[in-house]
């Protein structure tokens, strides 16, 4: 079955880089996603990566995918206080548009 | 503006009462989903619907029911059989078909508290 794991908490200083990690188990996943959730709100898609890619960069965001180790990471450069939120990785389960979400990593950015 | 609306934002109910959470989308999406979020547990799928008049159980469907009579609406009923209903409920939708990149768009959520 599918399972997605993340560490629960990350604290960084403003201006530093943040790296949020995720491991997944379904080797047949086609797309992997990073979502952001601000307090009391729904989730917002930040970026995604197709499983045949190793890296994707989008402005301050860099996604790295190690398919052999089933490891996904999200790097946020020049982290700002507005980046404080919960970040979820998710994989698309084989066969359908069902997403399996990780537990979420709470990022706290201090000034 | 296209998007997903959920109402109400906060909902309080007494134990033993059924309650229905609303979810409406005007994105013309075929697929809709209901998730439950508890602290430290991420999102768990309750029910999903790929098309009107059809829906499937997710991972934690017990104690919940849904209907999909209209494309734009996917209400969730939390019944008295749900043992621990207090949670944050999120509705989402996505386009379906040949597009493999299926971004799910989320509503703002409803926080249900059972007293």
């Amino acid at each position: 079955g599918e399972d997605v794991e993340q560490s629960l908490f990350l604290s960084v200083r403003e201006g530093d880089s943040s790296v949020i990690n995720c491991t997944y188990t379904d080797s047949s996943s086609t797309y992997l996603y990073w979502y952001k959730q601000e307090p009391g709100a729904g989730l917002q898609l930040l970026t995604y990566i197709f499983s045949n890619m190793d890296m994707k960069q989008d402005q301050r965001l860099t996604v790295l995918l190690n398919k052999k180790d089933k490891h996904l990471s999200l790097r946020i450069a020049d982290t700002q206080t507005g980046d404080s939120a919960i970040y979820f990785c998710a994989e698309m389960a084989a066969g359908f548009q069902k997403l399996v979400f990780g537990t979420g990593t709470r990022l706290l950015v201090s000034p | 503006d296209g998007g997903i609306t959920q109402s109400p934002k906060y909902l309080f109910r007494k134990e033993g009462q059924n309650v229905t959470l609303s979810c409406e989308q005007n994105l013309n999406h075929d697929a809709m989903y209901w998730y439950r979020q508890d602290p430290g547990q991420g999102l768990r799928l309750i029910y999903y619907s790929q098309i009107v008049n059809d829906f499937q159980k997710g991972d934690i469907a017990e104690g919940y029911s849904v209907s999909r009579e209209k494309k734009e609406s996917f209400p969730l009923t939390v019944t008295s059989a749900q043992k621990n209903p207090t949670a944050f409920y999120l509705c989402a939708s996505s386009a379906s078909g040949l597009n493999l990149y299926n971004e799910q768009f989320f509503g703002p959520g409803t926080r249900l508290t059972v007293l």
Side-chain angles (χ1 to χ4, degrees):
Chain A
E2 312 101 358
D3 194 16
V4 180
E5 294 189 355
Q6 301 177 239
S7 55
L8 289 180
F9 190 74
L10 176 65
S11 179
V12 301
R13 289 195 174 274
E14 193 172 20
D16 289 348
S17 291
S18 308
V19 179
I20 302 171
N21 295 300
C22 171
T23 57
Y24 61 98
T25 57
D26 188 352
S27 58
S28 63
S29 295
T30 52
Y31 280 92
L32 295 130
Y33 306 81
W34 283 104
Y35 279 85
K36 176 183 180 182
Q37 184 183 34
E38 297 190 359
L43 275 66
Q44 173 194 358
L45 181 68
L46 283 179
T47 187
Y48 66 94
I49 188 167
F50 190 49
S51 58
N52 68 354
M53 297 168 66
D54 298 324
M55 185 181 88
K56 181 179 180 182
Q57 187 152 4
D58 185 359
Q59 299 183 332
R60 291 191 298 124
L61 305 178
T62 303
V63 179
L64 294 177
L65 175 61
N66 182 330
K67 199 170 179 183
K68 175 175 167 288
D69 295 337
K70 300 192 187 71
H71 183 264
L72 182 72
S73 68
L74 174 69
R75 179 177 180 269
I76 306 173
D78 187 25
T79 313
Q80 304 298 307
T81 54
D83 294 324
S84 293
I86 301 176
Y87 290 80
F88 291 93
C89 67
E91 61 173 349
M92 180 185 289
F96 176 54
Q97 305 149 3
K98 172 183 165 182
L99 291 185
V100 179
F101 285 86
T103 51
T105 298
R106 184 177 295 274
L107 174 65
L108 178 64
V109 183
S110 53
Chain B
D1 280 336
I4 302 178
T5 56
Q6 291 184 245
S7 60
K9 189 166 178 64
Y10 299 96
L11 191 54
F12 297 89
R13 278 295 181 269
K14 290 184 179 179
E15 196 170 339
Q17 288 182 334
N18 290 357
V19 60
T20 297
L21 281 60
S22 165
C23 177
E24 304 277 331
Q25 54 99 359
N26 61 4
L27 300 167
N28 200 32
H29 285 166
D30 287 316
M32 297 186 75
Y33 313 80
W34 273 106
Y35 294 91
R36 172 183 170 135
Q37 185 179 16
D38 296 283
Q41 290 197 46
L43 274 69
R44 292 182 289 169
L45 183 64
I46 304 172
Y47 267 98
Y48 61 97
S49 168
Q50 291 179 264
I51 200 165
V52 174
N53 292 323
D54 186 54
F55 49 83
Q56 282 81 39
K57 293 182 179 180
D59 300 318
I60 55 164
E62 187 176 346
Y64 300 97
S65 66
V66 292
S67 63
R68 187 84 187 279
E69 296 175 4
K70 297 187 294 183
K71 186 176 185 177
E72 59 269 22
S73 179
F74 191 40
L76 173 75
T77 297
V78 184
T79 74
S80 56
Q82 168 50 233
K83 292 187 180 4
N84 187 17
T86 294
F88 190 50
Y89 290 88
L90 287 161
C91 179
S93 71
S94 68
S96 61
L98 296 177
N99 179 14
L100 290 178
Y101 160 52
N102 282 299
E103 176 181 355
Q104 288 192 12
F105 292 81
F106 282 81
T110 292
R111 185 165 297 280
L112 173 65
T113 302
V114 175
L115 306 170

